[in-house]
Amino acid sequence: MNTPEPPAGETAGAQTLRRGLGILKLLARHQPEGLRIGEIGRRLGLSKATAVRLTHTLADERFVVHDPATRCYRLGPESFVVGLAAEPSYSLQRLATASLRALALETGDWVFFSVVQGLEAICLSRETGHGPIPSDALRLGDRHPLGVGAGGLAILAALPDDEVEHALSVNGPYIDEHFPKSPVAVIRHLVAETRERGYAVIPGIVVPGYWALGVSLQQRDGRPVGAIVLVASESRLHPTRRAALGERMLNIGRDLMSRAAQGEGEAAPYR
């Protein structure tokens, strides 16, 4: 995960801010264990001196804290305060938490909640199951192009045809390069299957050995604003169980969006 090249003409101050925010985003994906300075620098493509300077500044402002026992840094109290201030804008996630946690506990599988952001799906929460999970499973803040993964596929399939084509034309080169087992040609086929079935099924092509089910969360006008995803090893998702879980997730999604529309937390687009 390297820091993207700064836009042409960006000032040194803006670049520093971008790098500092990159550290916060990175640590958000590695909570609660945190990361050491060397790993922060390596993952973001920063020199050791730059990583030390920025991380120490964030620590001085209490956005990150240092654990002397592990020598790792993790998000601090000021990050929590900022998150609380933003939380009302993410009422749908809050509304979904109890249902998704119950689903994870009852099934033993891993359950994720993602929202639409532009032409991407970004993971906002994941509930721990008892079954195995791939080491590169989604973490908080991870994002994928629409069409990649069960959540992104479910969201894409819920869009009108012209928007599907637009998303794939924009994201296509990146998808084909970084997800060669799930290229645009395969995604088009999966979109058709998802529309017919009502929920998305990723048959182990993103992470070998692991299958995923995805259900889009749609507002009253049919506009998708997010998705819920269940991930399990292939052996745990035999056809009968897969169909039962798909229907269960569809019911959870309908109930969630109904409650949101009734005022328990009107779903607003994350765009």
PDB file of all heavy atoms in Angstrom, residues 98-137:
ATOM      1  N   ALA A  98     -26.511  -4.458  15.287  1.00  0.00           N
ATOM      2  CA  ALA A  98     -27.058  -5.569  16.089  1.00  0.00           C
ATOM      3  C   ALA A  98     -27.417  -6.762  15.206  1.00  0.00           C
ATOM      4  O   ALA A  98     -27.105  -7.905  15.542  1.00  0.00           O
ATOM      5  CB  ALA A  98     -28.270  -5.096  16.876  1.00  0.00           C
ATOM      6  N   SER A  99     -28.056  -6.504  14.061  1.00  0.00           N
ATOM      7  CA  SER A  99     -28.463  -7.598  13.181  1.00  0.00           C
ATOM      8  C   SER A  99     -27.267  -8.330  12.587  1.00  0.00           C
ATOM      9  O   SER A  99     -27.250  -9.566  12.496  1.00  0.00           O
ATOM     10  CB  SER A  99     -29.340  -7.057  12.048  1.00  0.00           C
ATOM     11  OG  SER A  99     -30.537  -6.510  12.550  1.00  0.00           O
ATOM     12  N   LEU A 100     -26.252  -7.574  12.191  1.00  0.00           N
ATOM     13  CA  LEU A 100     -25.084  -8.197  11.581  1.00  0.00           C
ATOM     14  C   LEU A 100     -24.256  -8.955  12.614  1.00  0.00           C
ATOM     15  O   LEU A 100     -23.698 -10.007  12.318  1.00  0.00           O
ATOM     16  CB  LEU A 100     -24.239  -7.144  10.871  1.00  0.00           C
ATOM     17  CG  LEU A 100     -24.960  -6.367   9.769  1.00  0.00           C
ATOM     18  CD1 LEU A 100     -23.976  -5.488   9.004  1.00  0.00           C
ATOM     19  CD2 LEU A 100     -25.689  -7.299   8.821  1.00  0.00           C
ATOM     20  N   ARG A 101     -24.183  -8.420  13.819  1.00  0.00           N
ATOM     21  CA  ARG A 101     -23.466  -9.131  14.883  1.00  0.00           C
ATOM     22  C   ARG A 101     -24.175 -10.439  15.213  1.00  0.00           C
ATOM     23  O   ARG A 101     -23.535 -11.475  15.415  1.00  0.00           O
ATOM     24  CB  ARG A 101     -23.366  -8.238  16.120  1.00  0.00           C
ATOM     25  CG  ARG A 101     -22.537  -8.816  17.251  1.00  0.00           C
ATOM     26  CD  ARG A 101     -22.267  -7.745  18.288  1.00  0.00           C
ATOM     27  NE  ARG A 101     -21.473  -6.664  17.734  1.00  0.00           N
ATOM     28  CZ  ARG A 101     -21.466  -5.416  18.204  1.00  0.00           C
ATOM     29  NH1 ARG A 101     -22.243  -5.092  19.236  1.00  0.00           N
ATOM     30  NH2 ARG A 101     -20.694  -4.503  17.651  1.00  0.00           N
ATOM     31  N   ALA A 102     -25.504 -10.395  15.257  1.00  0.00           N
ATOM     32  CA  ALA A 102     -26.267 -11.615  15.537  1.00  0.00           C
ATOM     33  C   ALA A 102     -26.065 -12.644  14.425  1.00  0.00           C
ATOM     34  O   ALA A 102     -25.922 -13.836  14.693  1.00  0.00           O
ATOM     35  CB  ALA A 102     -27.754 -11.274  15.677  1.00  0.00           C
ATOM     36  N   LEU A 103     -26.022 -12.176  13.180  1.00  0.00           N
ATOM     37  CA  LEU A 103     -25.809 -13.092  12.060  1.00  0.00           C
ATOM     38  C   LEU A 103     -24.441 -13.763  12.164  1.00  0.00           C
ATOM     39  O   LEU A 103     -24.312 -14.978  11.952  1.00  0.00           O
ATOM     40  CB  LEU A 103     -25.925 -12.333  10.740  1.00  0.00           C
ATOM     41  CG  LEU A 103     -25.725 -13.151   9.459  1.00  0.00           C
ATOM     42  CD1 LEU A 103     -26.799 -14.222   9.336  1.00  0.00           C
ATOM     43  CD2 LEU A 103     -25.735 -12.226   8.233  1.00  0.00           C
ATOM     44  N   ALA A 104     -23.426 -13.001  12.516  1.00  0.00           N
ATOM     45  CA  ALA A 104     -22.077 -13.559  12.649  1.00  0.00           C
ATOM     46  C   ALA A 104     -22.011 -14.565  13.793  1.00  0.00           C
ATOM     47  O   ALA A 104     -21.403 -15.639  13.664  1.00  0.00           O
ATOM     48  CB  ALA A 104     -21.068 -12.435  12.870  1.00  0.00           C
ATOM     49  N   LEU A 105     -22.642 -14.246  14.907  1.00  0.00           N
ATOM     50  CA  LEU A 105     -22.607 -15.145  16.062  1.00  0.00           C
ATOM     51  C   LEU A 105     -23.376 -16.429  15.786  1.00  0.00           C
ATOM     52  O   LEU A 105     -22.950 -17.519  16.164  1.00  0.00           O
ATOM     53  CB  LEU A 105     -23.187 -14.436  17.286  1.00  0.00           C
ATOM     54  CG  LEU A 105     -22.324 -13.328  17.902  1.00  0.00           C
ATOM     55  CD1 LEU A 105     -23.095 -12.600  18.998  1.00  0.00           C
ATOM     56  CD2 LEU A 105     -21.030 -13.893  18.455  1.00  0.00           C
ATOM     57  N   GLU A 106     -24.522 -16.323  15.127  1.00  0.00           N
ATOM     58  CA  GLU A 106     -25.359 -17.489  14.876  1.00  0.00           C
ATOM     59  C   GLU A 106     -24.759 -18.416  13.823  1.00  0.00           C
ATOM     60  O   GLU A 106     -24.849 -19.642  13.928  1.00  0.00           O
ATOM     61  CB  GLU A 106     -26.756 -17.045  14.439  1.00  0.00           C
ATOM     62  CG  GLU A 106     -27.547 -16.376  15.554  1.00  0.00           C
ATOM     63  CD  GLU A 106     -28.815 -15.716  15.038  1.00  0.00           C
ATOM     64  OE1 GLU A 106     -29.213 -16.024  13.890  1.00  0.00           O
ATOM     65  OE2 GLU A 106     -29.402 -14.910  15.776  1.00  0.00           O
ATOM     66  N   THR A 107     -24.152 -17.843  12.808  1.00  0.00           N
ATOM     67  CA  THR A 107     -23.630 -18.660  11.709  1.00  0.00           C
ATOM     68  C   THR A 107     -22.180 -19.076  11.924  1.00  0.00           C
ATOM     69  O   THR A 107     -21.716 -20.068  11.361  1.00  0.00           O
ATOM     70  CB  THR A 107     -23.713 -17.890  10.380  1.00  0.00           C
ATOM     71  OG1 THR A 107     -22.866 -16.730  10.441  1.00  0.00           O
ATOM     72  CG2 THR A 107     -25.151 -17.478  10.084  1.00  0.00           C
ATOM     73  N   GLY A 108     -21.441 -18.294  12.721  1.00  0.00           N
ATOM     74  CA  GLY A 108     -20.015 -18.532  12.885  1.00  0.00           C
ATOM     75  C   GLY A 108     -19.192 -17.988  11.733  1.00  0.00           C
ATOM     76  O   GLY A 108     -17.972 -18.154  11.698  1.00  0.00           O
ATOM     77  N   ASP A 109     -19.849 -17.321  10.773  1.00  0.00           N
ATOM     78  CA  ASP A 109     -19.153 -16.760   9.622  1.00  0.00           C
ATOM     79  C   ASP A 109     -18.862 -15.275   9.850  1.00  0.00           C
ATOM     80  O   ASP A 109     -19.378 -14.670  10.792  1.00  0.00           O
ATOM     81  CB  ASP A 109     -20.001 -16.947   8.358  1.00  0.00           C
ATOM     82  CG  ASP A 109     -20.283 -18.415   8.081  1.00  0.00           C
ATOM     83  OD1 ASP A 109     -19.337 -19.223   8.160  1.00  0.00           O
ATOM     84  OD2 ASP A 109     -21.453 -18.761   7.816  1.00  0.00           O
ATOM     85  N   TRP A 110     -18.057 -14.705   8.966  1.00  0.00           N
ATOM     86  CA  TRP A 110     -17.676 -13.301   9.080  1.00  0.00           C
ATOM     87  C   TRP A 110     -18.636 -12.447   8.270  1.00  0.00           C
ATOM     88  O   TRP A 110     -18.984 -12.778   7.139  1.00  0.00           O
ATOM     89  CB  TRP A 110     -16.245 -13.102   8.595  1.00  0.00           C
ATOM     90  CG  TRP A 110     -15.236 -13.714   9.527  1.00  0.00           C
ATOM     91  CD1 TRP A 110     -15.027 -15.037   9.758  1.00  0.00           C
ATOM     92  CD2 TRP A 110     -14.320 -13.017  10.366  1.00  0.00           C
ATOM     93  NE1 TRP A 110     -14.027 -15.219  10.683  1.00  0.00           N
ATOM     94  CE2 TRP A 110     -13.572 -13.986  11.070  1.00  0.00           C
ATOM     95  CE3 TRP A 110     -14.045 -11.675  10.577  1.00  0.00           C
ATOM     96  CZ2 TRP A 110     -12.576 -13.655  11.979  1.00  0.00           C
ATOM     97  CZ3 TRP A 110     -13.050 -11.329  11.484  1.00  0.00           C
ATOM     98  CH2 TRP A 110     -12.324 -12.321  12.186  1.00  0.00           C
ATOM     99  N   VAL A 111     -19.055 -11.335   8.867  1.00  0.00           N
ATOM    100  CA  VAL A 111     -20.044 -10.467   8.236  1.00  0.00           C
ATOM    101  C   VAL A 111     -19.488  -9.050   8.138  1.00  0.00           C
ATOM    102  O   VAL A 111     -18.934  -8.519   9.111  1.00  0.00           O
ATOM    103  CB  VAL A 111     -21.365 -10.470   9.035  1.00  0.00           C
ATOM    104  CG1 VAL A 111     -22.387  -9.540   8.385  1.00  0.00           C
ATOM    105  CG2 VAL A 111     -21.928 -11.890   9.132  1.00  0.00           C
ATOM    106  N   PHE A 112     -19.649  -8.448   6.972  1.00  0.00           N
ATOM    107  CA  PHE A 112     -19.093  -7.132   6.693  1.00  0.00           C
ATOM    108  C   PHE A 112     -20.192  -6.167   6.260  1.00  0.00           C
ATOM    109  O   PHE A 112     -21.212  -6.579   5.693  1.00  0.00           O
ATOM    110  CB  PHE A 112     -18.042  -7.218   5.579  1.00  0.00           C
ATOM    111  CG  PHE A 112     -16.888  -8.121   5.893  1.00  0.00           C
ATOM    112  CD1 PHE A 112     -17.005  -9.499   5.741  1.00  0.00           C
ATOM    113  CD2 PHE A 112     -15.683  -7.613   6.343  1.00  0.00           C
ATOM    114  CE1 PHE A 112     -15.953 -10.348   6.034  1.00  0.00           C
ATOM    115  CE2 PHE A 112     -14.624  -8.455   6.647  1.00  0.00           C
ATOM    116  CZ  PHE A 112     -14.755  -9.817   6.488  1.00  0.00           C
ATOM    117  N   PHE A 113     -19.946  -4.890   6.504  1.00  0.00           N
ATOM    118  CA  PHE A 113     -20.878  -3.837   6.096  1.00  0.00           C
ATOM    119  C   PHE A 113     -20.095  -2.807   5.294  1.00  0.00           C
ATOM    120  O   PHE A 113     -19.081  -2.275   5.766  1.00  0.00           O
ATOM    121  CB  PHE A 113     -21.500  -3.170   7.322  1.00  0.00           C
ATOM    122  CG  PHE A 113     -22.417  -2.014   7.002  1.00  0.00           C
ATOM    123  CD1 PHE A 113     -23.776  -2.218   6.827  1.00  0.00           C
ATOM    124  CD2 PHE A 113     -21.925  -0.724   6.882  1.00  0.00           C
ATOM    125  CE1 PHE A 113     -24.616  -1.156   6.532  1.00  0.00           C
ATOM    126  CE2 PHE A 113     -22.758   0.341   6.586  1.00  0.00           C
ATOM    127  CZ  PHE A 113     -24.106   0.122   6.411  1.00  0.00           C
ATOM    128  N   SER A 114     -20.533  -2.549   4.071  1.00  0.00           N
ATOM    129  CA  SER A 114     -19.856  -1.589   3.200  1.00  0.00           C
ATOM    130  C   SER A 114     -20.849  -0.562   2.685  1.00  0.00           C
ATOM    131  O   SER A 114     -22.056  -0.820   2.623  1.00  0.00           O
ATOM    132  CB  SER A 114     -19.195  -2.293   2.011  1.00  0.00           C
ATOM    133  OG  SER A 114     -18.173  -3.165   2.435  1.00  0.00           O
ATOM    134  N   VAL A 115     -20.334   0.605   2.318  1.00  0.00           N
ATOM    135  CA  VAL A 115     -21.179   1.647   1.748  1.00  0.00           C
ATOM    136  C   VAL A 115     -20.601   2.086   0.417  1.00  0.00           C
ATOM    137  O   VAL A 115     -19.426   1.874   0.122  1.00  0.00           O
ATOM    138  CB  VAL A 115     -21.300   2.868   2.686  1.00  0.00           C
ATOM    139  CG1 VAL A 115     -22.035   2.500   3.954  1.00  0.00           C
ATOM    140  CG2 VAL A 115     -19.936   3.456   2.998  1.00  0.00           C
ATOM    141  N   VAL A 116     -21.462   2.702  -0.386  1.00  0.00           N
ATOM    142  CA  VAL A 116     -21.035   3.235  -1.678  1.00  0.00           C
ATOM    143  C   VAL A 116     -20.330   4.564  -1.469  1.00  0.00           C
ATOM    144  O   VAL A 116     -20.800   5.413  -0.714  1.00  0.00           O
ATOM    145  CB  VAL A 116     -22.251   3.449  -2.602  1.00  0.00           C
ATOM    146  CG1 VAL A 116     -21.798   4.029  -3.941  1.00  0.00           C
ATOM    147  CG2 VAL A 116     -23.012   2.158  -2.810  1.00  0.00           C
ATOM    148  N   GLN A 117     -19.217   4.715  -2.132  1.00  0.00           N
ATOM    149  CA  GLN A 117     -18.524   6.003  -2.149  1.00  0.00           C
ATOM    150  C   GLN A 117     -17.999   6.201  -3.570  1.00  0.00           C
ATOM    151  O   GLN A 117     -16.995   5.605  -3.956  1.00  0.00           O
ATOM    152  CB  GLN A 117     -17.384   6.032  -1.131  1.00  0.00           C
ATOM    153  CG  GLN A 117     -16.815   7.433  -0.924  1.00  0.00           C
ATOM    154  CD  GLN A 117     -15.837   7.471   0.230  1.00  0.00           C
ATOM    155  OE1 GLN A 117     -14.721   6.996   0.104  1.00  0.00           O
ATOM    156  NE2 GLN A 117     -16.240   8.039   1.356  1.00  0.00           N
ATOM    157  N   GLY A 118     -18.730   6.994  -4.336  1.00  0.00           N
ATOM    158  CA  GLY A 118     -18.366   7.158  -5.732  1.00  0.00           C
ATOM    159  C   GLY A 118     -18.547   5.857  -6.478  1.00  0.00           C
ATOM    160  O   GLY A 118     -19.619   5.251  -6.465  1.00  0.00           O
ATOM    161  N   LEU A 119     -17.476   5.396  -7.126  1.00  0.00           N
ATOM    162  CA  LEU A 119     -17.505   4.131  -7.863  1.00  0.00           C
ATOM    163  C   LEU A 119     -16.799   3.031  -7.093  1.00  0.00           C
ATOM    164  O   LEU A 119     -16.312   2.059  -7.669  1.00  0.00           O
ATOM    165  CB  LEU A 119     -16.864   4.311  -9.249  1.00  0.00           C
ATOM    166  CG  LEU A 119     -17.571   5.297 -10.173  1.00  0.00           C
ATOM    167  CD1 LEU A 119     -16.828   5.409 -11.493  1.00  0.00           C
ATOM    168  CD2 LEU A 119     -19.020   4.891 -10.405  1.00  0.00           C
ATOM    169  N   GLU A 120     -16.772   3.166  -5.767  1.00  0.00           N
ATOM    170  CA  GLU A 120     -16.134   2.178  -4.903  1.00  0.00           C
ATOM    171  C   GLU A 120     -17.076   1.776  -3.782  1.00  0.00           C
ATOM    172  O   GLU A 120     -18.044   2.479  -3.472  1.00  0.00           O
ATOM    173  CB  GLU A 120     -14.846   2.744  -4.297  1.00  0.00           C
ATOM    174  CG  GLU A 120     -13.768   3.095  -5.302  1.00  0.00           C
ATOM    175  CD  GLU A 120     -12.543   3.677  -4.633  1.00  0.00           C
ATOM    176  OE1 GLU A 120     -12.712   4.582  -3.793  1.00  0.00           O
ATOM    177  OE2 GLU A 120     -11.423   3.232  -4.943  1.00  0.00           O
ATOM    178  N   ALA A 121     -16.759   0.654  -3.155  1.00  0.00           N
ATOM    179  CA  ALA A 121     -17.422   0.228  -1.919  1.00  0.00           C
ATOM    180  C   ALA A 121     -16.366   0.258  -0.824  1.00  0.00           C
ATOM    181  O   ALA A 121     -15.274  -0.292  -0.993  1.00  0.00           O
ATOM    182  CB  ALA A 121     -18.004  -1.175  -2.061  1.00  0.00           C
ATOM    183  N   ILE A 122     -16.685   0.908   0.286  1.00  0.00           N
ATOM    184  CA  ILE A 122     -15.725   1.037   1.380  1.00  0.00           C
ATOM    185  C   ILE A 122     -16.265   0.312   2.608  1.00  0.00           C
ATOM    186  O   ILE A 122     -17.432   0.447   2.967  1.00  0.00           O
ATOM    187  CB  ILE A 122     -15.426   2.523   1.694  1.00  0.00           C
ATOM    188  CG1 ILE A 122     -14.432   2.647   2.852  1.00  0.00           C
ATOM    189  CG2 ILE A 122     -16.698   3.303   1.978  1.00  0.00           C
ATOM    190  CD1 ILE A 122     -13.914   4.039   3.066  1.00  0.00           C
ATOM    191  N   CYS A 123     -15.420  -0.499   3.233  1.00  0.00           N
ATOM    192  CA  CYS A 123     -15.818  -1.301   4.394  1.00  0.00           C
ATOM    193  C   CYS A 123     -15.835  -0.437   5.655  1.00  0.00           C
ATOM    194  O   CYS A 123     -14.825   0.172   6.004  1.00  0.00           O
ATOM    195  CB  CYS A 123     -14.848  -2.470   4.571  1.00  0.00           C
ATOM    196  SG  CYS A 123     -15.191  -3.501   6.011  1.00  0.00           S
ATOM    197  N   LEU A 124     -16.980  -0.412   6.343  1.00  0.00           N
ATOM    198  CA  LEU A 124     -17.108   0.372   7.565  1.00  0.00           C
ATOM    199  C   LEU A 124     -17.133  -0.485   8.823  1.00  0.00           C
ATOM    200  O   LEU A 124     -16.881   0.022   9.919  1.00  0.00           O
ATOM    201  CB  LEU A 124     -18.376   1.233   7.522  1.00  0.00           C
ATOM    202  CG  LEU A 124     -18.412   2.370   6.501  1.00  0.00           C
ATOM    203  CD1 LEU A 124     -19.652   3.223   6.745  1.00  0.00           C
ATOM    204  CD2 LEU A 124     -17.168   3.234   6.585  1.00  0.00           C
ATOM    205  N   SER A 125     -17.465  -1.760   8.682  1.00  0.00           N
ATOM    206  CA  SER A 125     -17.461  -2.608   9.886  1.00  0.00           C
ATOM    207  C   SER A 125     -17.357  -4.064   9.484  1.00  0.00           C
ATOM    208  O   SER A 125     -17.684  -4.447   8.354  1.00  0.00           O
ATOM    209  CB  SER A 125     -18.728  -2.386  10.724  1.00  0.00           C
ATOM    210  OG  SER A 125     -19.875  -2.896  10.060  1.00  0.00           O
ATOM    211  N   ARG A 126     -16.880  -4.874  10.418  1.00  0.00           N
ATOM    212  CA  ARG A 126     -16.895  -6.321  10.220  1.00  0.00           C
ATOM    213  C   ARG A 126     -17.131  -6.987  11.555  1.00  0.00           C
ATOM    214  O   ARG A 126     -16.622  -6.549  12.594  1.00  0.00           O
ATOM    215  CB  ARG A 126     -15.610  -6.818   9.575  1.00  0.00           C
ATOM    216  CG  ARG A 126     -14.342  -6.766  10.406  1.00  0.00           C
ATOM    217  CD  ARG A 126     -13.178  -7.317   9.575  1.00  0.00           C
ATOM    218  NE  ARG A 126     -12.044  -7.703  10.400  1.00  0.00           N
ATOM    219  CZ  ARG A 126     -10.974  -8.333   9.926  1.00  0.00           C
ATOM    220  NH1 ARG A 126     -10.906  -8.650   8.647  1.00  0.00           N
ATOM    221  NH2 ARG A 126      -9.976  -8.669  10.712  1.00  0.00           N
ATOM    222  N   GLU A 127     -17.950  -8.016  11.520  1.00  0.00           N
ATOM    223  CA  GLU A 127     -18.314  -8.755  12.732  1.00  0.00           C
ATOM    224  C   GLU A 127     -17.623 -10.113  12.710  1.00  0.00           C
ATOM    225  O   GLU A 127     -17.643 -10.822  11.704  1.00  0.00           O
ATOM    226  CB  GLU A 127     -19.828  -8.933  12.813  1.00  0.00           C
ATOM    227  CG  GLU A 127     -20.604  -7.624  12.856  1.00  0.00           C
ATOM    228  CD  GLU A 127     -20.296  -6.777  14.085  1.00  0.00           C
ATOM    229  OE1 GLU A 127     -19.847  -7.365  15.107  1.00  0.00           O
ATOM    230  OE2 GLU A 127     -20.500  -5.561  14.037  1.00  0.00           O
ATOM    231  N   THR A 128     -17.020 -10.459  13.822  1.00  0.00           N
ATOM    232  CA  THR A 128     -16.181 -11.640  13.907  1.00  0.00           C
ATOM    233  C   THR A 128     -16.997 -12.919  13.992  1.00  0.00           C
ATOM    234  O   THR A 128     -17.883 -13.056  14.841  1.00  0.00           O
ATOM    235  CB  THR A 128     -15.273 -11.549  15.145  1.00  0.00           C
ATOM    236  OG1 THR A 128     -14.531 -10.336  15.095  1.00  0.00           O
ATOM    237  CG2 THR A 128     -14.307 -12.723  15.192  1.00  0.00           C
ATOM    238  N   GLY A 129     -16.672 -13.862  13.107  1.00  0.00           N
ATOM    239  CA  GLY A 129     -17.258 -15.192  13.169  1.00  0.00           C
ATOM    240  C   GLY A 129     -16.282 -16.166  13.800  1.00  0.00           C
ATOM    241  O   GLY A 129     -15.162 -15.806  14.161  1.00  0.00           O
ATOM    242  N   HIS A 130     -16.709 -17.423  13.929  1.00  0.00           N
ATOM    243  CA  HIS A 130     -15.846 -18.440  14.530  1.00  0.00           C
ATOM    244  C   HIS A 130     -15.099 -19.241  13.471  1.00  0.00           C
ATOM    245  O   HIS A 130     -14.153 -19.960  13.776  1.00  0.00           O
ATOM    246  CB  HIS A 130     -16.685 -19.394  15.387  1.00  0.00           C
ATOM    247  CG  HIS A 130     -17.481 -18.707  16.443  1.00  0.00           C
ATOM    248  ND1 HIS A 130     -16.909 -17.925  17.426  1.00  0.00           N
ATOM    249  CD2 HIS A 130     -18.827 -18.650  16.647  1.00  0.00           C
ATOM    250  CE1 HIS A 130     -17.865 -17.443  18.215  1.00  0.00           C
ATOM    251  NE2 HIS A 130     -19.031 -17.858  17.756  1.00  0.00           N
ATOM    252  N   GLY A 131     -15.536 -19.121  12.217  1.00  0.00           N
ATOM    253  CA  GLY A 131     -14.900 -19.863  11.154  1.00  0.00           C
ATOM    254  C   GLY A 131     -13.614 -19.200  10.706  1.00  0.00           C
ATOM    255  O   GLY A 131     -13.273 -18.092  11.131  1.00  0.00           O
ATOM    256  N   PRO A 132     -12.863 -19.859   9.824  1.00  0.00           N
ATOM    257  CA  PRO A 132     -11.605 -19.289   9.330  1.00  0.00           C
ATOM    258  C   PRO A 132     -11.875 -18.076   8.450  1.00  0.00           C
ATOM    259  O   PRO A 132     -12.962 -17.917   7.901  1.00  0.00           O
ATOM    260  CB  PRO A 132     -10.997 -20.447   8.526  1.00  0.00           C
ATOM    261  CG  PRO A 132     -12.176 -21.267   8.092  1.00  0.00           C
ATOM    262  CD  PRO A 132     -13.160 -21.177   9.224  1.00  0.00           C
ATOM    263  N   ILE A 133     -10.895 -17.225   8.336  1.00  0.00           N
ATOM    264  CA  ILE A 133     -10.994 -16.020   7.523  1.00  0.00           C
ATOM    265  C   ILE A 133      -9.654 -15.800   6.835  1.00  0.00           C
ATOM    266  O   ILE A 133      -8.597 -16.010   7.450  1.00  0.00           O
ATOM    267  CB  ILE A 133     -11.370 -14.784   8.393  1.00  0.00           C
ATOM    268  CG1 ILE A 133     -11.692 -13.566   7.521  1.00  0.00           C
ATOM    269  CG2 ILE A 133     -10.287 -14.473   9.381  1.00  0.00           C
ATOM    270  CD1 ILE A 133     -13.019 -13.645   6.824  1.00  0.00           C
ATOM    271  N   PRO A 134      -9.631 -15.430   5.558  1.00  0.00           N
ATOM    272  CA  PRO A 134      -8.344 -15.204   4.887  1.00  0.00           C
ATOM    273  C   PRO A 134      -7.590 -14.045   5.503  1.00  0.00           C
ATOM    274  O   PRO A 134      -8.187 -13.080   5.997  1.00  0.00           O
ATOM    275  CB  PRO A 134      -8.752 -14.906   3.438  1.00  0.00           C
ATOM    276  CG  PRO A 134     -10.180 -14.497   3.507  1.00  0.00           C
ATOM    277  CD  PRO A 134     -10.779 -15.249   4.649  1.00  0.00           C
ATOM    278  N   SER A 135      -6.282 -14.130   5.475  1.00  0.00           N
ATOM    279  CA  SER A 135      -5.455 -13.093   6.101  1.00  0.00           C
ATOM    280  C   SER A 135      -5.634 -11.739   5.449  1.00  0.00           C
ATOM    281  O   SER A 135      -5.431 -10.700   6.087  1.00  0.00           O
ATOM    282  CB  SER A 135      -3.975 -13.505   6.050  1.00  0.00           C
ATOM    283  OG  SER A 135      -3.564 -13.688   4.700  1.00  0.00           O
ATOM    284  N   ASP A 136      -6.015 -11.722   4.165  1.00  0.00           N
ATOM    285  CA  ASP A 136      -6.194 -10.453   3.474  1.00  0.00           C
ATOM    286  C   ASP A 136      -7.664 -10.060   3.357  1.00  0.00           C
ATOM    287  O   ASP A 136      -8.062  -9.334   2.439  1.00  0.00           O
ATOM    288  CB  ASP A 136      -5.555 -10.492   2.081  1.00  0.00           C
ATOM    289  CG  ASP A 136      -6.091 -11.650   1.227  1.00  0.00           C
ATOM    290  OD1 ASP A 136      -6.830 -12.486   1.766  1.00  0.00           O
ATOM    291  OD2 ASP A 136      -5.745 -11.702   0.040  1.00  0.00           O
ATOM    292  N   ALA A 137      -8.482 -10.524   4.310  1.00  0.00           N
ATOM    293  CA  ALA A 137      -9.893 -10.141   4.308  1.00  0.00           C
ATOM    294  C   ALA A 137     -10.028  -8.644   4.524  1.00  0.00           C
ATOM    295  O   ALA A 137      -9.107  -7.977   5.027  1.00  0.00           O
ATOM    296  CB  ALA A 137     -10.633 -10.900   5.415  1.00  0.00           C
TER     297      ALA A 137
END
